[in-house]
């Protein structure tokens, strides 16, 4: 997302935390080797497993802190460390964003999940030097038709974007497919935040945007590129604002927001979804 991409751009040297390297020097768009892709596949499977478990356990009465504790415990049990925790000071292992919260919601033991909520859970795992990253939107209990449609179209827009990924296509092919599906559904694309490259860094080049633009490089896709594609949709205006906690982003008009994300690797004739949950 752009917030993290901007922070990455300002980083001149690598840094190391107690859980491993977080940010290395910018290296441009990287092509991963077969060895690197095997490691990324393991990191991504951990992420997929955790999100599948959270989708099954999320129910009214739980707190977002409960989900965060589960995610951290399971990530560590599987031999990885949470990608998000401590990343530029973020205090948790998941982002948990509810209803009009767009991204970067901070989990809390005081934040109770209610029936009808639209809950976005984003998480990452750092395994043997590489990251996997994915996000799901969970309809908690019975949600209204608008919320269900928003989540469905967000997921469909992600898959429409992924369908355009193959060697020789470009970022604009992804962006156009996402944007068209979103607008067909009657929703708006959040333009303040984008997808990104992923690998040794959680956020790498290039920015993977979800709308047609001449303002960002239209990179040609090549086999071995690893990307986190993540459409973010609002039911109302695309405009967002950041709360006083300096992390949580909400819609300006109070409308609902939904997000789906996968980590993928570009192949010669398509892409492989590394964070596929099998559902």
């Amino acid at each position: 997302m752009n917030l993290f991409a901007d922070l990455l751009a300002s980083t001149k040297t690598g840094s190391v935390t107690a859980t491993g390297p977080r940010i290395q020097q910018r290296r441009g768009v990287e092509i991963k080797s077969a060895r690197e892709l095997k490691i990324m596949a393991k990191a991504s499977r951990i992420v997929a497993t955790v999100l599948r478990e959270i989708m099954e356990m999320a129910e009214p009465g739980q707190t977002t802190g409960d989900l965060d504790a589960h995610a951290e415990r399971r990530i560590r049990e599987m031999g990885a460390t949470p990608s998000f925790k401590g990343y530029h000071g973020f205090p948790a292992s998941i982002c948990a964003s509810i209803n009009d919260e767009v991204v970067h919601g901070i989990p809390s033991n005081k934040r109770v999940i209610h029936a009808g909520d639209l809950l976005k859970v984003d998480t990452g795992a750092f395994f043997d030097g590489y990251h996997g990253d994915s996000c799901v939107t969970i309809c908690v209990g019975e949600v209204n038709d608008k919320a269900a449609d928003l989540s469905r179209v967000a997921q469909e827009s992600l898959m429409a974007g992924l369908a355009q990924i193959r060697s020789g296509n470009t970022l604009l092919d992804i962006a156009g497919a996402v944007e068209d599906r979103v607008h067909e559904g009657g929703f708006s694309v959040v333009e303040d935040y984008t997808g990104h490259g992923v690998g040794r860094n959680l956020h790498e080049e290039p920015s993977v945007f979800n709308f047609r633009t001449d303002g960002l490089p239209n990179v040609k896709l090549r086999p071995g590129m690893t990307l986190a594609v993540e459409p973010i949709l609002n039911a109302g205006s695309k405009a967002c604002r950041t709360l006083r906690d300096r992390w949580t982003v909400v819609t300006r008009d109070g409308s609902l927001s939904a997000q789906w994300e996968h980590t993928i690797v570009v192949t010669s004739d398509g892409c492989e979804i590394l964070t596929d949950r099998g559902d």
Side-chain angles (χ1 to χ4, degrees), residues 1 4 47 51 54 68 71 84 90 92-97 102-105 107 119-124 132-137 196 202-203 228 230 232 259-261:
M1 296 180 185
F4 292 120
V47 172
L51 286 178
I54 287 178
D68 181 63
F84 294 4
F90 191 75
S93 298
I94 66 171
C95 296
S97 309
V102 180
V103 291
H104 307 158
L119 169 66
K120 285 78 69 179
V121 178
D122 191 354
T123 194
D133 184 13
S134 187
C135 179
V136 297
T137 294
H196 51 89
L202 180 58
H203 297 88
E230 50 181 315
I232 307 172
Q259 176 189 4
W260 290 84
E261 175 187 19

Side-chain angles (χ1 to χ4, degrees), residues 29 170-172 205-209 213-220:
V29 178
T170 67
L171 292 179
L172 271 181
E205 297 180 32
S207 293
V208 183
F209 36 101
T213 178
D214 294 326
L216 292 167
N218 189 23
V219 175
K220 182 174 288 189

Side-chain angles (χ1 to χ4, degrees), residues 184-219:
E184 286 171 5
F187 301 115
S188 61
V189 176
V190 173
E191 297 181 3
D192 292 342
Y193 301 92
T194 72
H196 51 89
V198 59
R200 278 176 281 198
N201 290 307
L202 180 58
H203 297 88
E204 299 183 341
E205 297 180 32
S207 293
V208 183
F209 36 101
N210 300 307
F211 56 97
R212 294 178 178 88
T213 178
D214 294 326
L216 292 167
N218 189 23
V219 175

Side-chain angles (χ1 to χ4, degrees), residues 9-274:
S10 66
T11 303
K12 303 302 181 183
T13 58
S15 64
V16 178
T17 73
T19 54
R22 287 300 181 209
I23 303 175
Q24 299 185 26
Q25 190 170 1
R26 285 175 71 101
R27 307 170 66 95
V29 178
E30 293 190 14
I31 303 298
K32 306 300 191 297
S33 68
R35 180 191 68 84
E36 291 174 309
L37 290 174
K38 286 182 180 179
I39 298 172
M40 284 195 65
K42 291 179 181 178
S44 297
R45 280 197 296 272
I46 292 170
V47 172
T49 298
V50 169
L51 286 178
R52 186 169 60 247
E53 292 173 357
I54 287 178
M55 292 175 77
E56 292 172 353
M57 69 182 287
E59 60 183 20
Q62 286 186 318
T63 69
T64 54
D66 295 332
L67 302 182
D68 181 63
H70 177 85
E72 179 169 1
R73 177 175 59 80
R74 292 292 287 131
I75 288 170
R76 295 190 187 280
E77 284 178 351
M78 288 183 277
T81 55
S83 296
F84 294 4
K85 193 166 188 177
Y87 189 62
H88 292 294
F90 191 75
S93 298
I94 66 171
C95 296
S97 309
I98 299 177
N99 295 333
D100 67 331
E101 295 172 349
V102 180
V103 291
H104 307 158
I106 300 174
S108 168
N109 290 329
K110 297 180 180 179
R111 188 70 188 277
V112 178
I113 302 167
H114 299 286
D117 280 345
L118 203 59
L119 169 66
K120 285 78 69 179
V121 178
D122 191 354
T123 194
F126 181 69
F127 179 83
D128 201 13
Y130 292 83
H131 297 271
D133 184 13
S134 187
C135 179
V136 297
T137 294
I138 303 169
C139 295
V140 182
E142 293 292 329
V143 303
N144 63 43
D145 291 344
K146 189 76 167 182
D149 286 346
L150 179 65
S151 178
R152 176 180 54 81
V153 172
Q155 188 172 25
E156 290 174 356
S157 70
L158 168 61
M159 300 313 294
L162 297 188
Q164 294 300 314
I165 297 179
R166 64 184 63 88
S167 179
N169 277 7
T170 67
L171 292 179
L172 271 181
D173 293 315
I174 303 173
V178 170
E179 184 177 43
D180 288 346
R181 182 65 194 98
V182 173
H183 289 169
E184 286 171 5
F187 301 115
S188 61
V189 176
V190 173
E191 297 181 3
D192 292 342
Y193 301 92
T194 72
H196 51 89
V198 59
R200 278 176 281 198
N201 290 307
L202 180 58
H203 297 88
E204 299 183 341
E205 297 180 32
S207 293
V208 183
F209 36 101
N210 300 307
F211 56 97
R212 294 178 178 88
T213 178
D214 294 326
L216 292 167
N218 189 23
V219 175
K220 182 174 288 189
L221 303 177
R222 293 180 290 161
M225 290 175 62
T226 47
L227 307 172
V229 183
E230 50 181 315
I232 307 172
L233 282 60
N234 290 348
S237 167
K238 66 183 179 182
C240 304
R241 64 184 180 89
T242 304
L243 299 183
R244 290 183 179 179
D245 64 15
R246 301 178 62 188
W247 284 105
T248 307
V249 177
V250 300
T251 58
R252 283 193 176 273
D253 60 6
S255 63
L256 294 173
S257 187
Q259 176 189 4
W260 290 84
E261 175 187 19
H262 273 309
T263 292
I264 64 92
V265 56
V266 179
T267 64
S268 59
D269 58 355
C271 73
E272 179 183 354
I273 302 175
L274 299 181

